[in-house]
Amino acid sequence: MSQVRLAGTGMTSFGSHPDRTGRDMFAEAGLAALEDAGVPAADVDELFYGNFVGTLSEEQGHQGPLMAEALGTTAPSRRVESACASSGVAVRDAVRAIRSGEADVVVAGGMERMTNMGTAGATKGLAGAADDLYEVRSGVTFPGAYALMARAYFDEYGGTHEDLAHIAVKNHDNALVNDHAHLQQEITVEEALGAPEIASPFTLYDACPISDGASALVLTSPAYAEEHDLEANVAITGAGHGGDTMALHDRQSLSRTPATREAAEAAYDDADIEPSDISLVEVHDCFTIAEVLALEALGLYSYGEAIGAARRGETRRDGDLPVNLSGGLKAKGHPVGATGAAQVAAVATLLDGTHPRADAVDDDATVGVAQNAGGTVASATVHVLEVIA
């Protein structure tokens, strides 16, 4: 186990920011992370930056050095693209760079600006994360794709739309005190069930919003943290990356996500933990069914058992396993390139007691997990975070 220290976090609010540029938002998040860490920009060895549709939404390529410049550095930089898992992969790359000994200080994060594209434009841009030849050209969008996965799950394991509604209600409730959240709005199960249908069985509240925003992390080697006396008491001790086929029709099952299972097994082995050691998780709930699929693929529930977890109260903030205390993508928002790093930041601040929902975390909790997925989980990352002495 190699303890890559998480020295600082930074984030913009997630929502609609029509008058802001991507570089402006990433500068806010990245500079906040550097300030939180107490690390000067001159010490940054590398930047790994997640972004998916920036070449469409802002007609701007070569964004790595642009974002490094926004942080006040000309350190080597790289734009990482893995659809909705872009900054999750960026974080994993940063962990590997530090573990290899090639870097002592790395900024990892991401940004997405999408609301300026409008609903139709953003939907078209996001569809690029699916298989163009076999899915996009047939009219499949992500609400439709995840609806197919939900229907397949119901057919195989049971469950109802009301089970999914409880997930939406839970995550909206968690977001109420999160000032960075896009949707600070309480909803009821009845409202979730009665909202306009977007793709059966989903209604509007089964889907995350289209969001703008940025997030950033400052990761360091243990030696750098100790030499500079940093308050870096949370470490990334495990990192995993998994993959699957792009098109749904090529998969053996639509009700399981082996990319997450593969990433989780690698991360758990890396950190030398078991699922039973985990006290809290942030999972990629772009649609309510995605939370269910993630919890099962992470080994926290047996297949077919997570569908009722929110309804039974097990994954609420007062339950045995709090899930998405930040509000998740569902209510916190989903600026695609920023999501993975934002999830890691949420787990870190929940563990160190600085998150607004940290009061829901047991005092003896030391292990949390962040799961980030790309597309219909054709790619996935899992990171294990631990409190260290």
Side-chain angles (χ1 to χ4, degrees):
M1 180 179 69
S2 176
Q3 297 178 342
V4 174
R5 302 295 181 87
L6 205 168
T9 65
M11 196 180 309
T12 66
S13 62
F14 288 1
S16 177
H17 302 298
D19 299 326
R20 301 190 66 179
T21 62
R23 72 186 78 182
D24 173 42
M25 288 190 289
F26 190 71
E28 179 187 338
L31 292 173
L34 288 168
E35 182 178 2
D36 184 41
V39 172
D43 283 5
V44 175
D45 295 314
E46 292 190 66
L47 165 66
F48 294 93
Y49 164 76
N51 181 264
F52 180 43
V53 295
T55 53
L56 298 175
S57 66
E58 296 194 290
E59 298 185 353
Q60 177 66 63
H62 205 192
Q63 289 192 19
L66 185 69
M67 300 307 170
E69 182 182 353
L71 302 186
T73 178
T74 55
S77 56
R78 179 191 307 167
R79 173 181 175 241
V80 179
E81 189 277 298
S82 191
C84 315
S86 293
S87 61
V89 176
V91 173
R92 180 172 182 262
D93 285 350
V95 169
R96 298 171 85 187
I98 292 172
R99 286 179 169 179
S100 73
E102 293 186 0
D104 279 311
V105 179
V106 179
V107 174
M111 183 282 302
E112 212 70 67
R113 183 174 176 230
M114 298 191 296
T115 61
N116 64 308
M117 302 171 74
T119 300
T123 300
K124 181 178 180 181
L126 292 170
D131 188 309
D132 175 69
L133 183 60
Y134 294 109
E135 294 179 329
V136 180
R137 297 186 191 188
S138 299
V140 175
T141 61
F142 276 101
Y146 271 92
L148 289 172
M149 296 167 80
R151 291 164 73 95
Y153 186 99
F154 290 166
D155 286 346
E156 184 167 358
Y157 299 117
T160 67
H161 186 210
E162 185 172 346
D163 290 313
L164 300 180
H166 280 277
I167 296 171
V169 169
K170 169 182 69 70
N171 292 347
H172 273 258
D173 182 63
N174 285 337
L176 291 175
V177 299
N178 184 354
D179 289 340
H180 290 112
H182 190 161
L183 301 176
Q184 290 180 281
Q185 172 190 358
E186 187 175 10
I187 63 170
T188 66
V189 169
E190 291 71 26
E191 287 171 332
L193 293 173
E197 187 176 87
I198 58 171
S200 179
F202 296 153
T203 59
L204 181 65
Y205 287 120
D206 286 292
C208 67
I210 295 170
S211 309
D212 305 325
S215 64
L217 312 171
V218 176
L219 305 180
T220 77
S221 65
Y224 181 95
E226 291 162 13
E227 179 184 351
H228 293 83
D229 196 25
L230 301 184
E231 293 184 10
N233 298 321
V234 174
I236 297 177
T237 58
H241 187 186
D244 199 359
T245 63
M246 281 275 283
L248 292 177
H249 72 259
D250 285 326
R251 299 184 187 177
Q252 292 184 346
S253 171
L254 298 190
S255 58
R256 299 187 182 189
T257 50
T260 294
R261 175 55 65 96
E262 180 182 339
E265 290 175 348
Y268 298 166
D269 183 63
D270 193 18
D272 193 22
I273 68 159
E274 301 291 337
S276 58
D277 297 320
I278 298 167
S279 296
L280 61 102
V281 291
E282 290 283 316
V283 302
H284 194 98
D285 61 325
C286 49
F287 297 90
T288 48
I289 190 63
E291 179 168 310
V292 176
L293 300 177
L295 291 174
E296 295 179 359
L298 288 168
L300 298 168
Y301 282 86
S302 299
Y303 289 114
E305 293 298 320
I307 185 64
R311 176 174 45 79
R312 295 188 298 265
E314 298 160 2
T315 54
R316 296 175 191 166
R317 65 175 183 269
D318 57 353
D320 292 336
L321 180 69
V323 176
N324 286 335
L325 287 169
S326 69
L329 285 62
K330 176 66 205 73
K332 181 181 64 179
H334 184 29
V336 171
T339 286
Q343 292 175 306
V344 173
V347 173
T349 52
L350 285 162
L351 287 173
D352 72 16
T354 59
H355 192 280
R357 284 296 186 202
D359 59 353
V361 179
D362 289 342
D363 292 339
D364 59 352
T366 59
V367 180
V369 161
Q371 177 261 350
N372 186 205
T376 47
V377 205
S379 57
T381 61
V382 172
H383 290 94
V384 177
L385 284 78
E386 296 188 58
V387 177
I388 57 176

